[in-house]
Amino acid sequence: MKEYQGTKIIGIDNGYGNIKTANCCFPAGLTAHDTEPVFKDELLVYGGRYYLIGTGHKEFTADKTGDDDYYILTLAAIARELNVHGLTDATVRLAVGLPLTWVSQQREDFKAYLMRSREVCFTFRGKPYRVEIAGADVFPQGFAAVASQIRDFQGVNMLCDIGNGTMNIMFINDRRPAADRMFTEKYGTHQCMLAVRENVMRTHHATVDDSIINRVLRFGTADIQEDYLNTIRETAAGYVREIFRILREREYNPALMRLHVLGGGSCLIRNFGEYDADRVTIYDDICATAKGYEYLCEMALRKGGGAHAT
Protein backbone atom coordinates (compact mmCIF):
# COMPACT_ATOMS: atom_id res chain seq x y z
CA MET A 1 0.00 0.00 0.00
CA LYS A 2 1.23 3.47 -0.90
CA GLU A 3 -0.01 6.86 0.28
CA TYR A 4 -0.54 10.09 -1.63
CA GLN A 5 -1.86 13.22 0.09
CA GLY A 6 -3.67 11.23 2.77
CA THR A 7 -5.22 8.72 0.36
CA LYS A 8 -4.18 5.09 0.56
CA ILE A 9 -3.36 3.58 -2.82
CA ILE A 10 -4.22 -0.11 -2.80
CA GLY A 11 -3.24 -2.22 -5.76
CA ILE A 12 -5.43 -5.27 -6.33
CA ASP A 13 -4.73 -7.97 -8.88
CA ASN A 14 -8.20 -9.48 -9.37
CA GLY A 15 -7.16 -12.83 -10.82
CA TYR A 16 -9.31 -15.80 -11.74
CA GLY A 17 -7.41 -18.08 -9.38
CA ASN A 18 -6.20 -15.71 -6.66
CA ILE A 19 -6.69 -12.16 -5.48
CA LYS A 20 -3.40 -10.40 -4.77
CA THR A 21 -2.49 -7.16 -3.05
CA ALA A 22 1.02 -5.88 -2.34
CA ASN A 23 1.12 -7.96 0.84
CA CYS A 24 -1.61 -10.62 0.58
CA CYS A 25 -2.80 -13.46 -1.63
CA PHE A 26 -5.99 -15.50 -1.25
CA PRO A 27 -8.18 -17.73 -3.46
CA ALA A 28 -10.63 -15.92 -5.76
CA GLY A 29 -13.67 -17.77 -4.51
CA LEU A 30 -16.60 -17.07 -2.23
CA THR A 31 -19.90 -18.51 -1.11
CA ALA A 32 -22.86 -16.32 -0.13
CA HIS A 33 -25.22 -17.07 2.76
CA ASP A 34 -28.41 -15.48 4.04
CA THR A 35 -27.67 -16.56 7.62
CA GLU A 36 -24.42 -16.57 9.55
CA PRO A 37 -22.45 -19.76 8.77
CA VAL A 38 -20.85 -21.97 11.42
CA PHE A 39 -17.25 -21.40 10.31
CA LYS A 40 -16.40 -17.70 10.30
CA ASP A 41 -12.62 -17.35 9.99
CA GLU A 42 -12.84 -15.67 6.56
CA LEU A 43 -16.32 -14.19 6.91
CA LEU A 44 -17.21 -10.87 5.29
CA VAL A 45 -20.55 -9.28 6.18
CA TYR A 46 -21.92 -6.68 3.78
CA GLY A 47 -25.38 -5.48 2.81
CA GLY A 48 -27.11 -7.92 5.18
CA ARG A 49 -25.46 -10.99 3.61
CA TYR A 50 -22.65 -13.27 4.73
CA TYR A 51 -19.74 -14.20 2.44
CA LEU A 52 -17.14 -16.85 3.13
CA ILE A 53 -14.03 -15.63 1.31
CA GLY A 54 -11.70 -18.13 -0.34
CA THR A 55 -14.26 -20.93 -0.62
CA GLY A 56 -15.74 -22.36 -3.79
CA HIS A 57 -14.24 -21.70 -7.22
CA LYS A 58 -14.74 -18.64 -9.38
CA GLU A 59 -15.30 -19.77 -12.96
CA PHE A 60 -13.56 -17.95 -15.78
CA THR A 61 -15.53 -15.05 -17.20
CA ALA A 62 -14.38 -12.42 -19.66
CA ASP A 63 -16.52 -9.78 -17.89
CA LYS A 64 -15.75 -9.41 -14.18
CA THR A 65 -18.72 -7.06 -13.69
CA GLY A 66 -21.31 -9.74 -14.47
CA ASP A 67 -22.08 -10.41 -10.80
CA ASP A 68 -21.12 -9.06 -7.36
CA ASP A 69 -18.35 -11.57 -6.69
CA TYR A 70 -15.35 -9.45 -7.65
CA TYR A 71 -16.78 -6.47 -5.78
CA ILE A 72 -17.03 -8.53 -2.59
CA LEU A 73 -13.56 -10.01 -3.19
CA THR A 74 -12.24 -6.47 -3.65
CA LEU A 75 -13.67 -5.48 -0.27
CA ALA A 76 -11.89 -8.46 1.29
CA ALA A 77 -8.65 -7.43 -0.42
CA ILE A 78 -9.00 -3.86 0.89
CA ALA A 79 -9.60 -5.16 4.41
CA ARG A 80 -6.61 -7.50 4.29
CA GLU A 81 -4.30 -4.76 3.08
CA LEU A 82 -5.57 -2.21 5.62
CA ASN A 83 -5.21 -4.80 8.38
CA VAL A 84 -1.51 -5.24 7.51
CA HIS A 85 -1.08 -1.56 8.36
CA GLY A 86 -3.34 -1.63 11.43
CA LEU A 87 -6.16 0.39 9.83
CA THR A 88 -9.92 -0.07 9.73
CA ASP A 89 -10.96 3.40 8.51
CA ALA A 90 -9.38 4.95 5.42
CA THR A 91 -9.81 6.89 2.20
CA VAL A 92 -8.70 4.57 -0.58
CA ARG A 93 -7.83 4.85 -4.26
CA LEU A 94 -7.98 1.49 -6.02
CA ALA A 95 -5.36 0.58 -8.60
CA VAL A 96 -6.47 -2.48 -10.55
CA GLY A 97 -6.01 -4.09 -13.94
CA LEU A 98 -7.48 -6.04 -16.83
CA PRO A 99 -5.95 -8.27 -19.52
CA LEU A 100 -3.90 -6.31 -22.04
CA THR A 101 -6.30 -6.37 -24.97
CA TRP A 102 -9.42 -5.86 -22.84
CA VAL A 103 -8.41 -2.67 -21.00
CA SER A 104 -9.66 -0.13 -23.53
CA GLN A 105 -13.05 -1.76 -23.95
CA GLN A 106 -13.80 -2.69 -20.32
CA ARG A 107 -12.01 0.05 -18.34
CA GLU A 108 -14.94 2.38 -17.70
CA ASP A 109 -17.38 -0.39 -16.80
CA PHE A 110 -14.90 -1.91 -14.35
CA LYS A 111 -14.24 1.48 -12.72
CA ALA A 112 -17.98 2.10 -12.31
CA TYR A 113 -18.41 -1.41 -10.91
CA LEU A 114 -15.77 -0.85 -8.22
CA MET A 115 -16.98 2.67 -7.40
CA ARG A 116 -20.67 1.87 -7.08
CA SER A 117 -20.60 3.26 -3.52
CA ARG A 118 -18.47 6.18 -2.38
CA GLU A 119 -18.53 4.99 1.24
CA VAL A 120 -18.59 1.30 2.13
CA CYS A 121 -19.08 -0.19 5.58
CA PHE A 122 -18.59 -3.91 6.13
CA THR A 123 -17.15 -6.42 8.57
CA PHE A 124 -14.32 -8.82 7.81
CA ARG A 125 -12.88 -11.39 10.20
CA GLY A 126 -14.91 -9.82 12.97
CA LYS A 127 -13.54 -6.29 12.42
CA PRO A 128 -15.73 -3.41 11.20
CA TYR A 129 -14.32 -1.38 8.30
CA ARG A 130 -15.31 1.99 6.90
CA VAL A 131 -13.78 2.78 3.52
CA GLU A 132 -14.20 5.84 1.35
CA ILE A 133 -13.37 4.92 -2.24
CA ALA A 134 -11.96 8.12 -3.73
CA GLY A 135 -11.20 6.67 -7.15
CA ALA A 136 -10.31 3.62 -9.20
CA ASP A 137 -7.77 3.37 -11.99
CA VAL A 138 -7.40 0.47 -14.42
CA PHE A 139 -4.04 -0.53 -15.87
CA PRO A 140 -2.90 -3.29 -18.23
CA GLN A 141 -1.94 -6.58 -16.62
CA GLY A 142 1.57 -7.85 -17.14
CA PHE A 143 3.18 -4.54 -18.00
CA ALA A 144 2.37 -3.20 -14.52
CA ALA A 145 4.60 -5.84 -12.91
CA VAL A 146 7.70 -4.55 -14.71
CA ALA A 147 6.80 -0.86 -15.04
CA SER A 148 9.24 0.21 -12.34
CA GLN A 149 12.07 -1.63 -14.16
CA ILE A 150 11.23 -0.45 -17.70
CA ARG A 151 14.60 1.32 -18.10
CA ASP A 152 16.31 -2.08 -18.07
CA PHE A 153 14.34 -3.36 -21.07
CA GLN A 154 16.78 -2.59 -23.84
CA GLY A 155 16.53 -4.33 -27.19
CA VAL A 156 13.54 -6.58 -27.94
CA ASN A 157 11.72 -8.16 -25.00
CA MET A 158 8.68 -10.42 -24.87
CA LEU A 159 6.61 -10.31 -21.69
CA CYS A 160 4.47 -13.34 -20.83
CA ASP A 161 2.09 -13.05 -17.88
CA ILE A 162 0.54 -16.46 -17.10
CA GLY A 163 -2.51 -16.23 -14.88
CA ASN A 164 -5.18 -18.72 -13.93
CA GLY A 165 -7.59 -17.81 -16.72
CA THR A 166 -5.54 -15.98 -19.33
CA MET A 167 -2.03 -15.56 -20.65
CA ASN A 168 -1.08 -12.03 -21.65
CA ILE A 169 1.73 -11.43 -24.12
CA MET A 170 3.32 -8.13 -25.10
CA PHE A 171 6.53 -6.78 -26.59
CA ILE A 172 8.66 -4.08 -24.98
CA ASN A 173 11.19 -2.71 -27.46
CA ASP A 174 13.93 -0.38 -26.20
CA ARG A 175 11.95 0.45 -23.05
CA ARG A 176 8.73 1.18 -24.95
CA PRO A 177 5.63 -1.07 -24.94
CA ALA A 178 4.61 -2.02 -28.47
CA ALA A 179 0.90 -1.18 -28.49
CA ASP A 180 0.28 -3.12 -31.70
CA ARG A 181 1.87 -6.30 -30.37
CA MET A 182 -0.25 -7.20 -27.35
CA PHE A 183 -2.21 -10.44 -27.13
CA THR A 184 -4.52 -12.18 -24.65
CA GLU A 185 -4.80 -15.96 -24.86
CA LYS A 186 -7.32 -18.03 -22.92
CA TYR A 187 -4.62 -20.43 -21.84
CA GLY A 188 -4.03 -19.93 -18.13
CA THR A 189 -2.95 -22.46 -15.53
CA HIS A 190 -6.55 -23.63 -15.12
CA GLN A 191 -6.15 -25.35 -18.47
CA CYS A 192 -3.19 -27.26 -17.02
CA MET A 193 -5.24 -28.23 -13.95
CA LEU A 194 -8.00 -29.62 -16.18
CA ALA A 195 -5.51 -31.61 -18.24
CA VAL A 196 -3.91 -33.08 -15.10
CA ARG A 197 -7.26 -34.20 -13.70
CA GLU A 198 -8.20 -35.79 -17.01
CA ASN A 199 -4.88 -37.63 -17.41
CA VAL A 200 -4.83 -38.92 -13.83
CA MET A 201 -8.38 -40.22 -14.24
CA ARG A 202 -7.59 -41.84 -17.59
CA THR A 203 -4.27 -43.35 -16.46
CA HIS A 204 -4.97 -44.26 -12.83
CA HIS A 205 -8.80 -44.19 -12.64
CA ALA A 206 -8.54 -41.86 -9.66
CA THR A 207 -9.50 -38.31 -8.72
CA VAL A 208 -6.66 -36.16 -7.46
CA ASP A 209 -7.25 -33.29 -5.04
CA ASP A 210 -6.50 -29.81 -6.36
CA SER A 211 -4.16 -29.15 -3.44
CA ILE A 212 -1.91 -31.99 -4.62
CA ILE A 213 -1.91 -30.72 -8.20
CA ASN A 214 -1.09 -27.20 -7.04
CA ARG A 215 1.80 -28.44 -4.93
CA VAL A 216 3.34 -30.36 -7.82
CA LEU A 217 2.92 -27.40 -10.18
CA ARG A 218 4.47 -24.98 -7.67
CA PHE A 219 7.32 -27.12 -6.35
CA GLY A 220 7.71 -29.94 -8.87
CA THR A 221 6.92 -32.66 -6.33
CA ALA A 222 4.48 -33.84 -3.65
CA ASP A 223 4.15 -36.67 -1.13
CA ILE A 224 2.32 -39.05 -3.45
CA GLN A 225 3.10 -42.32 -5.22
CA GLU A 226 5.74 -42.01 -7.95
CA ASP A 227 3.56 -43.13 -10.87
CA TYR A 228 0.92 -40.51 -10.01
CA LEU A 229 3.65 -37.89 -9.66
CA ASN A 230 5.08 -38.78 -13.05
CA THR A 231 1.67 -38.41 -14.70
CA ILE A 232 1.22 -34.94 -13.24
CA ARG A 233 4.75 -33.92 -14.19
CA GLU A 234 4.39 -35.18 -17.76
CA THR A 235 1.09 -33.35 -18.16
CA ALA A 236 2.60 -30.12 -16.81
CA ALA A 237 5.55 -30.47 -19.17
CA GLY A 238 3.12 -30.85 -22.08
CA TYR A 239 1.30 -27.70 -20.99
CA VAL A 240 4.57 -25.75 -20.91
CA ARG A 241 5.50 -26.99 -24.38
CA GLU A 242 2.16 -25.63 -25.59
CA ILE A 243 2.90 -22.27 -23.97
CA PHE A 244 6.15 -22.03 -25.91
CA ARG A 245 4.33 -23.05 -29.09
CA ILE A 246 1.88 -20.18 -28.59
CA LEU A 247 4.77 -17.80 -27.92
CA ARG A 248 6.45 -18.89 -31.15
CA GLU A 249 3.19 -18.21 -32.99
CA ARG A 250 3.46 -14.68 -31.58
CA GLU A 251 6.99 -14.43 -33.06
CA TYR A 252 9.04 -15.42 -30.03
CA ASN A 253 12.61 -16.08 -31.09
CA PRO A 254 15.06 -16.73 -28.21
CA ALA A 255 18.02 -15.82 -30.43
CA LEU A 256 16.69 -12.31 -31.07
CA MET A 257 14.89 -11.34 -27.87
CA ARG A 258 14.67 -11.88 -24.16
CA LEU A 259 11.65 -13.51 -22.52
CA HIS A 260 10.23 -12.34 -19.20
CA VAL A 261 7.75 -14.69 -17.51
CA LEU A 262 5.56 -13.66 -14.58
CA GLY A 263 2.27 -14.48 -12.92
CA GLY A 264 1.13 -17.55 -11.04
CA GLY A 265 2.09 -19.80 -13.95
CA SER A 266 5.73 -18.73 -14.00
CA CYS A 267 6.58 -21.60 -11.63
CA LEU A 268 5.50 -24.09 -14.32
CA ILE A 269 8.06 -22.66 -16.73
CA ARG A 270 10.72 -22.91 -14.03
CA ASN A 271 9.81 -26.48 -12.99
CA PHE A 272 8.87 -28.08 -16.31
CA GLY A 273 10.18 -25.91 -19.13
CA GLU A 274 13.21 -26.22 -21.38
CA TYR A 275 14.80 -22.83 -21.91
CA ASP A 276 18.05 -20.88 -21.84
CA ALA A 277 18.26 -19.41 -18.35
CA ASP A 278 20.56 -16.67 -19.68
CA ARG A 279 17.82 -15.46 -22.04
CA VAL A 280 14.72 -16.04 -19.89
CA THR A 281 13.87 -14.18 -16.66
CA ILE A 282 11.27 -15.69 -14.33
CA TYR A 283 9.64 -13.42 -11.75
CA ASP A 284 8.74 -15.27 -8.56
CA ASP A 285 6.80 -12.53 -6.75
CA ILE A 286 3.12 -13.39 -7.19
CA CYS A 287 2.21 -9.94 -5.85
CA ALA A 288 4.36 -8.09 -8.41
CA THR A 289 1.40 -7.00 -10.54
CA ALA A 290 -0.50 -5.53 -7.57
CA LYS A 291 2.64 -3.64 -6.56
CA GLY A 292 2.98 -2.45 -10.14
CA TYR A 293 -0.55 -1.05 -10.15
CA GLU A 294 0.31 0.98 -7.05
CA TYR A 295 3.50 2.24 -8.67
CA LEU A 296 1.72 3.33 -11.87
CA CYS A 297 -1.08 5.01 -9.92
CA GLU A 298 1.31 6.90 -7.66
CA MET A 299 3.46 8.06 -10.58
CA ALA A 300 0.40 9.34 -12.44
CA LEU A 301 -0.89 11.18 -9.39
CA ARG A 302 2.47 12.81 -8.78
CA LYS A 303 2.57 14.01 -12.37
CA GLY A 304 -0.72 15.78 -11.73
CA GLY A 305 -4.22 15.54 -13.10
CA GLY A 306 -5.08 12.19 -11.53
CA ALA A 307 -4.19 8.66 -12.52
CA HIS A 308 -5.07 7.34 -15.93
CA ALA A 309 -4.85 3.90 -17.45
CA THR A 310 -2.18 3.58 -20.12
Side-chain angles (χ1 to χ4, degrees):
M1 183 170 70
K2 295 182 179 293
E3 183 169 343
Y4 180 77
Q5 296 184 351
T7 296
K8 312 298 182 185
I9 301 172
I10 298 182
I12 303 176
D13 182 3
N14 288 291
Y16 295 104
N18 294 289
I19 307 295
K20 286 84 67 179
T21 68
N23 295 285
C24 305
C25 176
F26 60 95
L30 61 80
T31 53
H33 306 265
D34 292 322
T35 58
E36 187 173 86
V38 175
F39 299 104
K40 298 177 283 189
D41 289 348
E42 299 295 323
L43 183 65
L44 187 146
V45 184
Y46 171 71
R49 299 204 75 192
Y50 302 86
Y51 301 90
L52 282 176
I53 305 299
T55 61
H57 176 72
K58 181 64 179 170
E59 294 184 3
F60 174 84
T61 174
D63 182 3
K64 294 179 179 178
T65 67
D67 55 34
D68 290 336
D69 288 3
Y70 275 103
Y71 183 77
I72 300 300
L73 291 168
T74 296
L75 296 183
I78 293 171
R80 282 175 174 265
E81 192 67 15
L82 289 179
N83 183 67
V84 169
H85 299 273
L87 300 172
T88 57
D89 191 322
T91 298
V92 167
R93 190 177 191 97
L94 299 176
V96 300
L98 288 169
L100 291 170
T101 57
W102 301 354
V103 173
S104 296
Q105 181 179 359
Q106 298 184 8
R107 177 195 300 129
E108 294 305 320
D109 286 344
F110 198 36
K111 287 174 64 173
Y113 173 81
L114 295 174
M115 294 184 63
R116 62 175 70 177
S117 298
R118 175 81 178 193
E119 183 174 313
V120 188
C121 296
F122 60 95
T123 300
F124 183 57
R125 289 176 166 176
K127 286 185 179 181
Y129 289 85
R130 189 208 69 85
V131 176
E132 179 187 353
I133 300 180
D137 301 288
V138 184
F139 300 98
Q141 289 178 5
F143 173 72
V146 300
S148 63
Q149 308 164 41
I150 196 68
R151 293 180 180 177
D152 299 330
F153 282 65
Q154 299 182 24
V156 179
N157 300 268
M158 174 181 269
L159 192 70
C160 177
D161 179 11
I162 308 171
N164 184 264
T166 60
M167 178 170 70
N168 289 282
I169 303 165
M170 72 179 300
F171 282 84
I172 301 176
N173 300 336
D174 286 328
R175 301 180 294 277
R176 292 181 178 274
D180 59 341
R181 300 182 75 185
M182 299 190 302
F183 314 96
T184 298
E185 305 277 353
K186 189 183 174 184
Y187 198 68
T189 57
H190 184 60
Q191 301 299 317
C192 184
M193 293 281 290
L194 294 176
V196 168
R197 290 180 204 154
E198 180 181 345
N199 284 345
V200 169
M201 176 59 71
R202 184 176 62 249
T203 305
H204 305 285
H205 310 292
T207 300
V208 59
D209 191 87
D210 284 355
S211 63
I212 294 175
I213 301 175
N214 279 320
R215 183 162 189 82
V216 176
L217 298 187
R218 288 182 62 193
F219 303 108
T221 189
D223 185 17
I224 58 176
Q225 196 168 296
E226 191 69 19
D227 54 343
Y228 285 84
L229 182 59
N230 287 337
T231 298
I232 297 175
R233 285 172 171 167
E234 290 167 4
T235 305
Y239 168 81
V240 172
R241 286 193 295 272
E242 181 64 13
I243 285 178
F244 277 100
R245 185 194 66 77
I246 293 172
L247 295 184
R248 288 192 297 272
E249 283 187 348
R250 297 302 185 183
E251 301 184 354
Y252 171 56
N253 185 333
L256 299 176
M257 63 192 67
R258 293 187 177 273
L259 176 64
H260 303 261
V261 186
L262 54 134
S266 62
C267 59
L268 276 80
I269 305 296
R270 181 185 299 282
N271 293 331
F272 307 104
E274 296 180 5
Y275 58 90
D276 182 354
D278 292 331
R279 304 286 296 170
V280 178
T281 302
I282 297 177
Y283 298 76
D284 294 319
D285 186 0
I286 197 171
C287 297
T289 295
K291 294 174 183 176
Y293 294 153
E294 292 183 358
Y295 170 81
L296 289 172
C297 184
E298 183 185 29
M299 290 301 100
L301 288 171
R302 292 191 183 282
K303 287 180 181 178
H308 299 281
T310 57

